[in-house]
């Protein structure tokens, strides 16, 4: 399966119990379109394989390996992995400089589960928890309805809860994935990713701000025009001097 939680199960070769599996993505986007995404997941369901000793080794590896940006909460059995991203393969970011507003638009076409699965594989292998799977996980293409329907079936079967939160540089005006609306709170919007995959439409998030540069320029031109009008309208034509009569 293309969903990273399925890859974890394969890596650990575990029969699943009827327990909910919670995971989340937090995608923080900067003004220039670059971003950081954090993927976190609970590991309590894997307690037989991921003992406290194994989690401790994973936590140490996260701190010592410069190629891995991650944290392991040993007490609560959670792992968080971070990736730096740029517009391109997974999402696009554009800014429309109109009047009176600038509109910033983020369109998320796919989720980089491939990169997170590779990081998790490195973490598990490096900590001696499991051997390398030798396989690869694809990104989650939000537009691929056929593949998403298959993934959603297993995600629901395994009771996987996935949230996807986008944080923009400004307050969000719109956040949708087809008919699925994100829950907006200031500059953040949160989606139920399973519902988004069912919809199989890209996530689109927009925020706006006043185009102060253009507004200041227009205000400056208006002031100059008014001053010029007042200057010209205040000038009085000189009276013509009477001509002297010839004798």
């Amino acid at each position: 399966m293309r969903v990273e939680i399925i890859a974890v199960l394969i890596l650990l070769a575990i029969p699943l119990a009827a327990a909910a599996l919670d995971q989340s993505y937090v995608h923080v986007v900067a003004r220039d379109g670059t971003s950081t995404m954090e993927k976190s997941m609970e590991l309590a369901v894997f307690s037989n394989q991921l003992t406290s000793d194994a989690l401790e080794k994973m936590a140490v590896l996260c701190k010592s390996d410069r190629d891995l940006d991650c944290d392991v909460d040993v007490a609560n059995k959670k792992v968080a992995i971070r990736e730096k991203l740029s517009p391109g393969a997974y999402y696009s970011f554009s800014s429309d400089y109109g009047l009176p507003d600038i509109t910033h638009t983020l369109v998320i076409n796919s989720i980089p589960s491939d990169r997170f699965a590779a990081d998790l594989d490195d973490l598990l292998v490096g900590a001696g928890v499991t051997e390398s799977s030798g396989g690869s996980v694809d990104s989650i293409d939000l537009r691929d309805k056929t593949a998403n329907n298959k993934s959603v079936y297993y995600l629901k079967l395994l009771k996987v809860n996935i949230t996807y939160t986008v944080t923009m540089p400004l307050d969000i005006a719109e956040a949708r994935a087809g008919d699925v609306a994100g829950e907006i709170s200031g500059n953040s919007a949160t989606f139920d990713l399973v519902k988004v995959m069912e919809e199989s439409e890209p996530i689109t998030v927009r925020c706006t701000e006043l185009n102060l540069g253009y507004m200041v320029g227009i205000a400056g031109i208006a002031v100059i025009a008014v001053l010029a009008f007042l200057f010209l309208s205040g000038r009085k034509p000189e009276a013509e001097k009477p001509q002297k009569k010839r004798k």
Side-chain angles (χ1 to χ4, degrees), residues 21 63 70 85 99 118-119 142-143 145 155 206 228 245:
L21 299 169
K63 294 178 181 178
C70 55
L85 305 171
L99 283 175
D119 291 340
L142 297 179
R143 301 158 297 183
K145 194 170 186 64
L155 289 169
R206 291 189 177 89
K245 293 181 180 181

Side-chain angles (χ1 to χ4, degrees), residues 60-81:
V60 170
L61 187 61
C62 281
K63 294 178 181 178
S64 61
D65 192 330
R66 293 183 178 180
D67 293 330
L68 288 172
D69 186 359
C70 55
D71 295 304
V72 176
D73 184 341
V74 177
N76 294 309
K77 300 183 184 298
K78 294 181 179 180
V79 62
I81 302 172

Side-chain angles (χ1 to χ4, degrees), residues 169-220:
L170 302 160
D171 284 352
I172 294 172
E174 179 186 359
R176 304 194 67 83
D179 291 333
V180 178
E183 184 178 339
I184 299 173
S185 178
N187 66 335
S188 295
T190 300
F191 292 85
D192 181 332
L193 192 57
V194 176
K195 290 182 179 180
V196 172
M197 292 172 68
E198 281 185 301
E199 184 72 9
S200 288
E201 292 287 345
I203 293 174
T204 300
V205 181
R206 291 189 177 89
C207 57
T208 61
E209 62 179 324
L210 279 176
N211 193 340
L212 294 178
Y214 280 9
M215 296 296 285
V216 170
I218 291 173

Side-chain angles (χ1 to χ4, degrees), residues 14-25:
I14 307 172
L16 269 181
L21 299 169
D22 293 333
Q23 53 183 300
S24 66
Y25 293 90

